[in-house]
Amino acid sequence: MNINGTVVIVRHKEHIDKIDALIIPGGESSTISKILAKSGMYDAIVQRVKDNTLPIMGTCAGCVLLAKKIVGNKGEITSLRVMDIEVERNAFGRQKESFEKSIEIKGFSKPYHAVFIRAPVIKKVWETCKILATIDKKIIAVRQKRFLAFSFHPELADDFRLHRYFLEMFV
Amino acid sequence: MKNLDITTLRHGTALVKKGFAKMQKGGVIMDVINYEQAKIAEESGAVAVMALERVPADIRAHGGVAKMADPKIIQEIIDVVSIPVMAKVRIGHFVEAQALEALGVDMIDESEVLTPADPFYHVDKRLFTIPFVCGCRNLGEAVRRIWEGAAMIRTKGEAGTGNIIEAIRHQRMVTSMTQTLKDMEKTEIQALAKEYSQSYVNSIKTLTNQKVKDTSIIFEKYSYNTVKKEIVDILKEIKEIQRLPVVNFAAGGIATPADAAIMMQLGSDGVFVGSGIFKSENPKKRAKAIVEAVAHYDEPEVIAEVSKDLGDAMPGIEIETIPEEQLLQKRGW
């Protein structure tokens, strides 16, 4: 991407103190939630968000974990509650209904080819949260302050524009 | 003006199928036989569950023809958990696969743990919208399954034994051959592709009793030439990236957190635990411990900590004591 920096994988709470920005990628949100809690990373992230020193980009499961509200959550996920959004998990359906599609993102001149895997949808946004992209009125990309959430997987595409957007705007 | 491309929604593409498998990376997929177990697996941090009628250890003990699980059980599990649900079909049984796809299963395991249905061919996995995982003992089996459209590969190991030795054998077979590819020249790779295509050639020879030519159709709509050419492409990619081009899990005999972690250190992207959890003394505790061991596979302190006081693991079987014809890993080709 021609941007200088080091990519590290965070697995411990100590790692959280050493990074400038965090990406929470796809995976199973319930599993990631448990690992965050058990490792102490949950508290470390919440603290840095409170101090306003940690920009975060969340994709798919990461988007779910950033949300203040999760539709139908019976306690299997403890989200970080950093963005004013309500998210519905697996909102397009099961893997059969997973898809790829070119989408338009606010501020991007060319379409972005996005991959949706058992993807969540952002049902509601409030406060200062801004919508960046939708499919059939379903919200799939949002931005609020130093946080970005996407219901698809930029990590599965060869197109680094969203990573660049995150890094250049926030870091 | 909207670009036409903007309106198209593409389901079941290779990217979508392989993408699903990638989202399982670093995780543990657990065998469950009912929704109660599925709930425990989810609460323990499993990234997905494999819905079965019997775990492999019981399939081994039960004998008879092992088939796709009762869709009622699978449906109950789908209704109860929010994580993906996978299920097994017999090798080559594409109608069991169609039924599971219709049911809404997220991934199909074309598995040697069930009794094979087709003596000649595995399922043509490209024809399905949902992704498949398939077992392998070596790079040849892995490459054939990838060519047939598998989105994930796992070691076969020896399921239902609680004995890790075969899974390690199969992981090492794949890794060593992948390294060997690095120094192979074009002609050597072509020869290897020819060798890896042989099982299709053997099947069609048995079926037709004819000499196989380059233009002969040897699997579904594919000619011998096409198969060789596409296998060369897969081998070139493996040579280049020095790993399988799809997600690679460990399976077959994983019983302890350390078993799971050794597979990760040997290059697996995640693990399947079959009988190892619900055949042990304390399934919940063991399930959580294995999830943590996989997340922190290269941190001995964590492995030591989570391995404490788990109660008895499943008893386990020495591979040498299993009669040759009862080895599950020999199924498939």
Side-chain angles (χ1 to χ4, degrees):
Chain A
M1 284 197 288
N2 282 327
I3 296 173
N4 282 327
T6 315
V7 178
V8 292
I9 294 174
V10 292
R11 289 215 202 116
H12 292 286
K13 58 174 188 281
E14 294 76 26
H15 294 157
I16 300 294
D17 299 328
K18 294 180 188 142
I19 54 175
D20 299 311
L22 175 69
I23 295 179
I24 308 176
E28 278 309 312
S29 47
S30 57
T31 307
I32 299 174
S33 165
K34 284 176 188 76
I35 290 170
L36 285 178
K38 187 99 190 183
S39 64
M41 285 193 285
Y42 182 92
D43 291 333
I45 294 169
V46 167
Q47 185 56 51
R48 286 206 51 187
V49 167
K50 211 179 273 170
D51 299 344
N52 202 22
T53 57
L54 189 68
I56 309 177
M57 168 164 126
T59 76
C60 196
C63 167
V64 174
L65 287 161
L66 290 176
K68 283 216 172 132
K69 281 188 184 167
I70 302 167
V71 177
N73 184 24
K74 292 181 225 95
E76 59 268 36
I77 300 169
T78 310
S79 73
L80 294 159
R81 303 176 45 82
V82 303
M83 291 182 83
D84 291 314
I85 55 176
E86 180 176 19
V87 170
E88 183 180 0
R89 295 171 72 202
N90 307 332
F92 292 97
R94 307 191 64 84
Q95 176 58 17
K96 235 191 334 189
E97 282 85 40
S98 292
F99 60 95
E100 51 180 298
K101 184 185 190 328
S102 289
I103 58 166
E104 280 171 347
I105 299 175
K106 211 173 252 175
F108 284 28
S109 56
K110 285 184 193 143
Y112 184 92
H113 197 71
V115 186
F116 296 78
I117 311 278
R118 287 170 49 100
V121 152
I122 299 149
K123 298 291 265 192
K124 257 187 246 162
V125 303
W126 58 94
E127 296 289 336
T128 54
C129 189
K130 300 263 182 309
I131 298 168
L132 298 178
T134 57
I135 293 181
D136 300 335
K137 293 184 185 151
K138 294 187 181 101
I139 305 164
I140 52 162
V142 292
R143 179 188 165 192
Q144 184 173 24
K145 292 183 273 181
R146 286 145 66 86
F147 309 113
L148 284 173
F150 307 118
S151 61
F152 50 93
H153 293 281
E155 70 271 30
L156 291 179
D158 297 325
D159 187 335
F160 295 115
R161 281 180 293 166
L162 287 172
H163 290 85
R164 185 178 288 280
Y165 178 75
F166 176 59
L167 290 173
E168 286 179 350
M169 293 204 74
F170 301 134
V171 182
Chain B
M1 268 302 282
K2 276 199 175 178
N3 183 333
L4 183 71
D5 193 26
I6 297 279
T7 63
T8 28
L9 215 77
R10 294 163 65 214
H11 297 278
T13 60
L15 183 60
V16 168
K17 292 197 265 192
K18 287 180 186 173
F20 171 82
K22 281 188 182 160
M23 293 311 134
Q24 307 287 307
K25 278 175 84 170
V28 182
I29 301 167
M30 302 181 191
D31 277 6
V32 297
I33 59 164
N34 54 44
Y35 65 85
E36 290 94 345
Q37 288 187 354
K39 205 68 208 160
I40 292 172
E42 182 177 46
E43 284 163 9
S44 307
V47 288
V49 292
M50 178 74 68
L52 291 151
E53 236 169 76
R54 291 187 187 88
V55 293
D58 288 335
I59 290 176
R60 219 172 249 295
H62 187 266
V65 174
K67 316 171 194 76
M68 168 184 87
D70 183 337
K72 182 169 175 279
I73 297 174
I74 300 172
Q75 187 68 57
E76 285 172 355
I77 292 170
I78 286 176
D79 292 343
V80 164
V81 295
S82 66
I83 53 178
V85 177
M86 307 182 177
K88 291 182 192 294
V89 300
R90 286 178 266 178
I91 289 172
H93 207 315
F94 54 87
V95 174
E96 284 186 347
Q98 290 164 1
L100 291 183
E101 180 165 273
L103 205 59
V105 161
D106 297 294
M107 181 177 241
I108 293 175
D109 183 3
E110 187 181 22
S111 178
E112 69 285 355
V113 167
L114 305 182
T115 311
D118 189 325
F120 302 106
Y121 297 115
H122 285 245
V123 171
D124 184 357
K125 292 163 270 289
R126 282 165 288 213
L127 300 175
F128 288 79
T129 304
I130 58 171
F132 276 70
V133 51
C134 290
C136 78
R137 288 177 298 172
N138 50 49
L139 190 65
E141 290 186 355
V143 165
R144 283 192 290 278
R145 301 298 85 81
I146 292 166
W147 177 73
E148 292 158 1
M152 183 196 272
I153 291 294
R154 57 169 176 78
T155 59
K156 284 181 175 170
E158 189 58 35
T161 60
N163 188 339
I164 193 71
I165 186 168
E166 296 304 301
I168 290 185
R169 186 194 310 279
H170 300 155
Q171 183 61 48
R172 285 202 184 281
M173 293 287 282
V174 171
T175 310
S176 303
M177 200 58 199
T178 300
Q179 285 163 355
T180 306
L181 270 180
K182 211 190 303 188
D183 302 318
M184 279 195 174
E185 315 232 338
K186 204 174 160 193
T187 50
E188 290 173 298
I189 287 182
Q190 281 166 342
L192 191 63
K194 194 174 173 187
E195 183 192 320
Y196 286 176
S197 315
Q198 265 318 295
S199 69
Y200 302 108
V201 173
N202 295 343
S203 288
I204 201 72
K205 267 188 188 159
T206 311
L207 285 164
T208 61
N209 203 22
Q210 298 290 313
K211 197 171 175 305
V212 177
K213 292 180 286 193
D214 269 352
T215 51
S216 308
I217 299 297
I218 61 168
F219 175 72
E220 297 292 334
K221 59 182 184 190
Y222 305 97
S223 71
Y224 185 24
N225 223 0
T226 305
V227 175
K228 277 189 292 190
K229 216 173 118 256
E230 293 182 5
I231 286 184
V232 164
D233 291 340
I234 294 169
L235 288 172
K236 277 187 188 157
E237 189 178 358
I238 296 171
K239 175 186 157 112
E240 169 78 25
I241 62 177
Q242 279 298 297
R243 57 154 295 143
L244 294 180
V246 299
V247 171
N248 170 34
F249 266 50
I254 293 158
T256 68
D259 286 349
I262 194 175
M263 295 310 297
M264 296 296 289
Q265 288 199 24
L266 288 171
S268 296
D269 295 317
V271 303
F272 284 90
V273 188
S275 321
I277 288 171
F278 290 100
K279 282 281 151 188
S280 73
E281 195 182 339
N282 191 342
K284 203 167 190 171
K285 199 167 176 192
R286 186 166 293 267
K288 281 187 179 165
I290 292 177
V291 168
E292 269 210 75
V294 168
H296 301 280
Y297 67 89
D298 55 359
E299 298 166 53
E301 303 79 16
V302 178
I303 310 297
E305 191 54 39
V306 301
S307 301
K308 284 179 185 164
D309 197 26
L310 291 179
D312 286 338
M314 64 180 291
I317 308 171
E318 285 266 16
I319 307 298
E320 291 76 20
T321 62
I322 305 169
E324 179 90 8
E325 69 280 6
Q326 286 176 24
L327 283 175
L328 303 176
Q329 59 177 285
K330 299 250 160 121
R331 295 166 166 180
W333 28 90

